Amino acid sequence: MTKTNDSVIKHEDGIKRCFWCGTDPVYVAYHDNEWGVPEYDSRALFEKLLLDGFQAGLSWITILRKRDAFREAFDGFEPEIMARYNARKLQSLMKNEGIVRNRLKVEASVTNAQAYLTLSESQPFSTYLWDFVGDGPRQNRFRSRRDVPAATPLAEAISKDLKKRGFRFCGPTIVYAFMQACGLVNDHMVTCHRHGAHLDSRRPK
């Protein structure tokens, strides 16, 4: 592996990838196959928003390595099930060494599931989120890690609206990381091999 500049890393396979994925095989696979791919499934979006909330104060690779354990512990992130979690279930989650055992975040997962279901009564969660960006991903052309913001006015607007609807652990920084991962914005470096993959993406009608 050779670092070509402060935006991408050239790996042994000759492919240039965004600087942040390093060489960990799990992280590289996530970068190549998931990060930045437009996600339109409401439950998958809900899962990712919750995992980004659990990430707060930690690295994403930590959450990524625990993702299967999270999915098992939280019943596949099915909001209908999570919204009914009781004190006994929450206590069992706090004893689960496979997940991040932060009481506020665990309790917020229930609140968020309830907020998700309430929102879904009027429109799908996917529609709600994608309406903020229009017909497809916002296309950025970042050439350096210094160009990438921690948050944007749009992320702040989404964060504010989510909080108004009862969601927790969804500050602007968390929301922007979520937008990047789920393809609402294309933040692959322009010299990364994945940048052009979704330039012509359009939201399904």
Side-chain angles (χ1 to χ4, degrees):
M1 178 195 75
T2 57
K3 183 176 289 189
T4 57
N5 51 46
D6 67 346
S7 65
V8 295
I9 296 174
K10 186 174 182 180
H11 288 241
E12 292 181 356
D13 57 8
I15 295 175
K16 294 178 181 179
R17 296 177 172 90
C18 296
F19 61 89
W20 53 263
C21 70
T23 58
D24 185 300
V26 174
Y27 225 4
V28 171
Y30 174 71
H31 169 274
D32 285 359
N33 302 315
E34 293 187 55
W35 195 82
V37 177
E39 179 60 72
Y40 299 105
D41 179 79
S42 291
R43 194 219 55 81
L45 288 164
F46 173 71
E47 172 184 321
K48 186 61 174 65
L49 183 62
L50 262 60
L51 288 176
D52 274 324
F54 273 101
Q55 179 198 353
L58 304 170
S59 65
W60 176 244
I61 189 63
T62 298
I63 302 300
L64 196 59
R65 289 178 177 139
K66 293 176 178 286
R67 185 164 59 171
D68 287 341
F70 267 107
R71 287 171 173 166
E72 181 177 357
F74 285 91
D75 296 284
F77 288 101
E78 290 294 342
E80 293 81 2
I81 299 175
M82 294 177 60
R84 300 194 301 269
Y85 282 176
N86 56 25
R88 185 175 181 178
K89 173 64 176 180
L90 294 179
Q91 190 60 32
S92 72
L93 288 170
M94 289 301 299
K95 295 178 180 179
N96 190 329
E97 297 181 356
I99 66 171
V100 174
R101 294 177 291 173
N102 178 298
R103 181 168 293 279
L104 290 178
K105 294 177 181 179
V106 169
E107 291 176 349
S109 69
V110 181
T111 303
N112 288 350
Q114 294 167 347
Y116 172 96
L117 292 178
T118 299
L119 188 158
S120 298
E121 291 176 1
S122 58
Q123 61 181 322
F125 191 52
S126 176
T127 300
Y128 162 77
L129 289 168
W130 281 95
D131 276 351
F132 282 99
V133 296
D135 291 332
R138 294 274 180 97
Q139 300 294 335
N140 291 319
R141 297 188 58 80
F142 296 138
R143 296 185 176 279
S144 166
R145 69 177 69 191
R146 294 187 299 272
D147 298 333
V148 184
T152 64
L154 179 57
E156 292 173 4
I158 297 174
S159 169
K160 183 178 180 179
D161 198 74
L162 284 167
K163 290 177 180 178
K164 183 176 69 176
R165 294 172 182 271
F167 287 85
R168 298 162 59 191
F169 284 95
C170 56
T173 301
I174 290 174
V175 168
Y176 194 66
F178 166 79
M179 293 171 66
Q180 292 174 308
C182 295
L184 280 82
V185 294
N186 180 6
D187 274 9
H188 281 285
M189 297 287 111
V190 293
T191 48
C192 170
H193 80 111
R194 291 292 294 164
H195 180 265
H198 302 288
L199 288 178
D200 297 321
S201 294
R202 291 292 181 269
R203 178 166 44 161
K205 300 298 184 182

